[in-house]
Amino acid sequence: MDCDLSLAYQPACFVVKPAAQAWERRDALALRRQVFCVEQGLFGGADGDDRDALDAQADLLVAIAQVAGMPDRVVGTVRIHAQTGRTWFGSRLAVEPELRRHRGLGTGLITLAVRLAHTQGAGVFLAHVQAQNVPLFERLHWHTLEQVTLQDRPHAFMRADLAHYPPLARPQQGLLVINRQAA
């Protein structure tokens, strides 16, 4: 029997927030490994691991699919950390493959990352962005500083325009992202 994937369940909304529960952290790290190692073949490929020393100091953010208002699963993640002084970085942005076309999910993760860093005193927010993702970041008021190669792949070293990312009044609440395609 063939399954019609067009009828596959799509969550109606997602909560994008700092990871607070052990399962959120575990599943976010598993998603990163799946995207960067298994899917993209980076960091040693399917047998590798993308975790590094920054994970010990970085804030891990997650996008969690909601079912009937209850958390279901981690479908996206990004990490942020202070580099020096007021300079912050974002890295390891990952979203489940079947939800990448949901523009709001990546946007929500990026927005929360920059706004949370701004809330914590960031004066500059930077990231190395894979070339295929540059148009999304440009729509979100990021500017390319230079072209670089990382892990044998083209990246843009980019800077967020913090004027478009005000600090958060309640950082732990996160953001709600609605999946209009599922509604």
Side-chain angles (χ1 to χ4, degrees):
M1 170 187 260
D2 289 332
C3 181
D4 182 357
L5 295 180
S6 67
L7 299 175
Y9 167 75
Q10 289 287 314
C13 67
F14 309 91
V15 173
V16 181
K17 66 180 198 64
Q21 306 284 330
W23 72 268
E24 295 169 346
R25 295 189 63 76
R26 179 196 67 224
D27 291 359
L29 294 173
L31 175 61
R32 279 182 16 193
R33 187 184 173 287
Q34 180 65 33
V35 168
F36 295 115
C37 301
V38 176
E39 179 185 330
Q40 295 183 7
L42 303 174
F43 306 105
D47 295 327
D49 194 337
D50 75 300
R51 287 184 272 185
D52 60 23
L54 289 177
D55 286 314
Q57 71 184 63
D59 293 326
L60 188 62
L61 310 181
V62 291
I64 300 177
Q66 301 290 296
V67 175
M70 298 298 294
D72 180 46
R73 71 187 194 279
V74 173
V75 296
T77 187
V78 67
R79 69 180 181 184
I80 62 172
H81 71 280
Q83 181 73 21
T84 56
R86 298 185 61 214
T87 301
W88 282 66
F89 274 82
S91 58
R92 302 292 201 273
L93 176 65
V95 174
E96 283 187 357
E98 62 274 10
L99 293 172
R100 290 183 191 150
R101 292 182 199 206
H102 178 1
R103 184 182 281 177
L105 201 49
T107 298
L109 284 160
I110 294 163
T111 299
L112 182 63
V114 181
R115 290 187 68 191
L116 184 57
H118 199 181
T119 301
Q120 296 181 46
V124 175
F125 194 91
L126 305 166
H128 290 99
V129 178
Q130 289 186 10
Q132 72 270 16
N133 297 323
V134 168
L136 169 63
F137 281 76
E138 289 174 337
R139 283 193 301 275
L140 297 175
H141 306 281
W142 285 64
H143 308 284
T144 298
L145 302 174
E146 68 177 309
Q147 302 295 328
V148 297
T149 300
L150 299 171
Q151 296 283 325
D152 295 324
R153 303 226 175 166
H155 285 69
F157 184 49
M158 301 186 80
R159 179 179 180 159
D161 181 350
L162 289 182
H164 292 277
Y165 296 93
L168 295 162
R170 295 182 187 102
Q172 296 307 316
Q173 278 187 336
L175 304 172
L176 182 65
V177 175
I178 304 298
N179 185 356
R180 306 239 182 262
Q181 297 167 339

